[in-house]
Amino acid sequence: MNINFTGIKDPQILVSRKGSLLNAGNIGSDEKIHTIRMKCYLDNTNNNDLNEFKRVVSKTPNLSEKFNNFSNNDCLQIDISPSSRPQNFGYSINFNGEEVTQWDKSIFGICTFLCAITRFLLKNNELTPNIQKYIKAMNIISDKIGQESLKYVK
């Protein structure tokens, strides 16, 4: 995977509690969070981030068609929320409203992509600690799904 994420533009972290999405910087530490949403744009000017994203989703059965014509002008919205559905490994991942299938080997590319993008954002000193904790949660959840799926998905 060739990702350097210098092409991430305008990352925004939102969280939902009781159904409403709020900027992560406005949430107190005692709030119960249901969904973490990351919105950003992927630019291909000096790197390969957008192409790498398209390569990863092209191998994902239910995402390939939706993101076939995805461009640097399109907002990427990633939602992670708890799931009790047996076909999920504890959490649901959605890209622009489309749930990622976790019982397919393509989940490894998706999780690797999510771990890489969140690691990059965690190294970004411009983000407040309150926002970084949600990015760290996304990173941990992506890694957990990837590790769990290794046990079952061939």
Side-chain angles (χ1 to χ4, degrees):
M1 187 166 282
N2 181 20
I3 302 174
N4 60 23
F5 286 115
T6 55
I8 291 181
K9 305 296 180 208
D10 304 321
Q12 193 178 23
I13 302 296
L14 304 164
V15 292
S16 113
R17 61 183 173 103
K18 299 179 186 170
S20 58
L21 280 167
L22 300 171
N23 185 304
N26 298 331
I27 302 294
S29 61
D30 60 343
E31 300 281 350
K32 183 172 180 176
I33 302 303
H34 181 265
T35 301
I36 302 173
R37 174 176 288 171
M38 180 172 58
K39 295 171 72 173
C40 65
Y41 295 87
L42 297 176
D43 192 359
N44 235 11
T45 307
N46 298 316
N47 55 65
N48 205 26
D49 300 341
L50 178 61
N51 285 340
E52 190 60 33
F53 170 74
K54 289 174 79 171
R55 186 189 69 76
V56 167
V57 296
S58 73
K59 296 179 177 188
T60 307
N62 62 321
L63 299 178
S64 59
E65 190 173 313
K66 181 171 187 154
F67 290 100
N68 190 36
N69 295 318
F70 198 76
S71 75
N72 61 340
N73 295 320
D74 296 319
C75 181
L76 175 60
Q77 178 178 295
I78 302 166
D79 291 340
I80 295 181
S81 57
S83 175
S84 59
R85 295 173 58 194
Q87 62 267 41
N88 292 340
F89 295 107
Y91 295 89
S92 173
I93 301 173
N94 289 274
F95 282 3
N96 289 22
E98 188 72 37
E99 187 168 4
V100 175
T101 303
Q102 294 184 23
W103 285 83
D104 184 86
K105 63 183 177 181
S106 63
I107 190 62
F108 302 118
I110 296 291
C111 288
T112 302
F113 181 85
L114 287 174
C115 284
I117 196 171
T118 53
R119 273 194 306 272
F120 169 81
L121 290 173
L122 285 168
K123 292 178 184 178
N124 184 342
N125 293 328
E126 298 174 20
L127 300 175
T128 67
N130 199 33
I131 291 174
Q132 283 190 348
K133 73 180 176 186
Y134 297 112
I135 295 170
K136 186 173 184 176
M138 290 181 84
N139 180 276
I140 291 168
I141 292 167
S142 301
D143 186 54
K144 176 189 181 293
I145 292 170
Q147 294 298 323
E148 284 296 312
S149 60
L150 274 174
K151 298 175 188 175
Y152 305 102
V153 179
K154 302 291 182 212

